[in-house]
Amino acid sequence: MKKVIIVCFTLLMYVNAAVNEDIILYKVPNKDHKITAQTLADGLTINGYTVAKNQDMNGPYEKQFKTTTFQSYNLMSVYHADTSTVLIPKYARSGIFTPFSIATYQRKGEDDFYIALLSAKAEENILKAKDPLFKKLEKHTKETILNVLPSAVETSLPYDAVSTDEPLYTKYSFEVEDEDAMEARGDLMMMMESGMKPSGFVVANYIDFNKVLQEEKNDDYMFYDAYSLCKLKIIYELSKEKPEAGAFAPCTMVIYHKKGSNKTEIVTLSIANLTSTLAIKEKNILEMLTKAQSTMKSIIEDAAE
């Protein structure tokens, strides 16, 4: 495949922001530990969401790192089909939020359960796309959380996001004839998966979103695949001090081929989202994130050769 790499720049701009507007955070009294991630997952499902994955992270933390500071820590991969089937045909790159991530957590010895997810404003900033559907979905999600957990109170993070001029997502575009696209798709993913595993990347979930689009009578794509990717060491280190980092994890990578385009495209989130939204300053974390992004870039480029 002949490849062309397109890096799309989107700037985050915050001027005298009083609070971190990128992450929506709820606090729920839970002294008796009766509320769990599954409580929220069940409520989301009843209200029209698909919870593609509700991953307990404490088990992997204890298995690999022998310790955890959490009573519970879960990462959910969630999407709202009625919204995504409208957004993706308009903005193909918006699939990096199909699914989007919700983190739920409660620290050992503490009485409150937390829910963290990205705001509509953050998603629009990342995608450089303004659409009322983002805000509409945020409103529905907030209403759902409060319906499921009436004692939940929206709170704020104790730090502001910082501005960045780094790219917030990267789009790779490969010249592939439509008639060769399906075979090339299989070869591409086989090569990528063989590179991801030894590098510590885990495919936490996979969604054939083209099937969802076709159910809504949209047959524009030959394929539209969403892969939820996670690197355990990174989320473990981030969650120690900033468990709300789970609003970015797992990260969704989309691979798609639109009919008639003669090109396959891959879109991934940039680490600049984490470093700016979470105001990360720790050198070891920054180095870890930079290395992970560089490794994934090499995996994608090598797979396309």
Side-chain angles (χ1 to χ4, degrees), residues 54-75 108 232 235-236:
N54 178 16
Q55 178 66 53
D56 163 48
M57 300 303 293
N58 257 354
Y61 282 0
E62 291 175 338
K63 182 177 180 180
Q64 184 161 335
F65 306 110
K66 311 305 179 186
T67 185
T68 177
T69 60
F70 296 99
Q71 175 70 31
S72 67
Y73 192 89
N74 281 57
L75 299 177
K108 291 179 179 178
L232 187 60
I235 188 59
Y236 176 72

Side-chain angles (χ1 to χ4, degrees), residues 224-238:
Y224 195 107
D225 300 326
Y227 293 85
S228 299
L229 305 178
C230 186
K231 194 162 188 177
L232 187 60
K233 176 67 172 175
I234 289 178
I235 188 59
Y236 176 72
E237 293 296 338
L238 284 171

Side-chain angles (χ1 to χ4, degrees), residues 42-43 83 99-100 150 171 183 221 223 229 231 244 258-259 261 269 280 286 303 305:
D42 290 343
T83 302
F100 62 92
K171 181 166 70 174
E183 181 180 354
Y221 291 90
F223 57 85
L229 305 178
K231 194 162 188 177
E244 63 275 10
K258 192 169 186 177
K259 291 179 179 178
S261 68
L269 278 169
I280 296 172
L286 291 171
E305 288 290 349

